Amino acid sequence: AQAEAPKDTVRPEIFKLVDPAQIKPLMDAKNYTEVKSRLAEADALPNKTPYEEFVLNRMRIAVSSATNDNATMMTALEAVINSGKLQPNEQRDFVQALATQYYNNKDYPKAITWFNRYQTETGDTKVRPYIIRAHYFNNDFATAKTELLKDLDAHQKAGTTPKLEELQLLANSGAKTKDQATYLVALENLVRYCQASDYFLNV
């Protein structure tokens, strides 16, 4: 008979450093220096298992979030996501959190990668506006324009009203790409849907 696969466990010498019963009071007291010291001591131990790495990275996420250490948090988030040890709902939330961190840090290529992964894994398109804006802010105006035109067409076919921000971004994308036709389409729709009097003189 095959030997049973080893269960996910943390060896005692690591557990004594990261025992939640000890870490929670330290976090509550904002004694982040002590928490980081314990993490560093645990990390220095040799031959850590993938699960032990997972546990340490989960803790790094918590302390780096509390101390606004975005670089450490993003590294730990990515490691946890790729560990294969998250529950599906956690995986979804962590992927979105990592994408948002990259977006807020203006690392737009990585933000696009992780927002796209979120869409692919969840089927949820709520992050699509962030993907489009990330393309725009990354100076990929052509892609932003193409995607915004798709969304405008979808609104028109569904009889729904596009958002003011979408139309403004479409107008700017048309202007950036010197696409006068797209620019005028955006302005016409700004007037039609948003009643923005500032745009009447431009049409």
Side-chain angles (χ1 to χ4, degrees):
Q2 288 185 332
E4 183 180 353
K7 293 181 173 62
D8 285 336
T9 58
V10 175
R11 76 189 89 163
E13 55 266 40
I14 290 181
F15 183 80
K16 72 178 183 180
L17 293 168
V18 298
D19 179 359
Q22 297 180 40
I23 294 296
K24 186 178 185 303
L26 292 171
M27 292 291 290
D28 290 344
K30 300 183 179 181
N31 189 352
Y32 305 126
T33 300
E34 174 63 18
V35 176
K36 289 180 179 179
S37 175
R38 285 168 172 254
L39 278 171
E41 189 176 346
D43 196 41
L45 293 171
N47 304 317
K48 291 184 297 298
T49 67
Y51 183 71
E52 288 170 342
E53 294 281 10
F54 172 75
V55 169
L56 295 179
N57 278 315
R58 287 292 298 254
M59 193 167 294
R60 286 189 187 98
I61 292 170
V63 71
S64 60
S65 176
T67 57
N68 296 315
D69 183 355
N70 290 332
T72 298
M73 179 162 56
M74 287 188 291
T75 299
L77 274 170
E78 189 162 347
V80 164
I81 291 166
N82 291 329
S83 71
K85 297 184 178 299
L86 289 171
Q87 295 298 314
N89 62 321
E90 290 182 310
Q91 178 87 355
R92 176 197 64 210
D93 293 343
F94 278 42
V95 169
Q96 184 179 1
L98 181 55
T100 301
Q101 281 295 323
Y102 279 127
Y103 183 89
N104 291 340
N105 283 2
K106 300 182 180 181
D107 189 339
Y108 298 118
K110 287 187 178 179
I112 291 166
T113 295
W114 284 96
F115 277 132
N116 278 329
R117 176 168 172 176
Y118 176 87
Q119 282 196 150
T120 299
E121 292 185 359
T122 66
D124 189 340
T125 60
K126 69 180 181 182
V127 299
R128 178 171 169 76
Y130 293 97
I131 295 172
I132 293 173
R133 287 200 293 269
H135 281 297
Y136 181 88
F137 293 136
N138 199 45
N139 299 320
D140 185 358
F141 307 118
T143 297
K145 179 182 69 176
T146 297
E147 297 305 312
L148 287 161
L149 284 171
K150 287 180 186 177
D151 289 353
L152 177 59
D153 183 60
H155 278 298
Q156 291 173 338
K157 288 178 178 176
T160 55
T161 301
K163 293 180 180 178
L164 172 62
E165 183 184 3
E166 294 173 347
L167 295 174
Q168 289 175 327
L169 204 59
L170 180 60
N172 289 338
S173 297
K176 294 285 189 181
T177 56
K178 298 182 180 179
D179 182 347
Q180 184 71 5
T182 294
Y183 178 71
L184 289 174
V185 165
L187 290 182
E188 288 165 0
N189 281 281
L190 278 163
V191 172
R192 178 182 301 118
Y193 290 112
C194 304
Q195 298 180 350
S197 58
D198 291 345
Y199 297 101
F200 276 98
L201 292 176
N202 292 320
V203 177

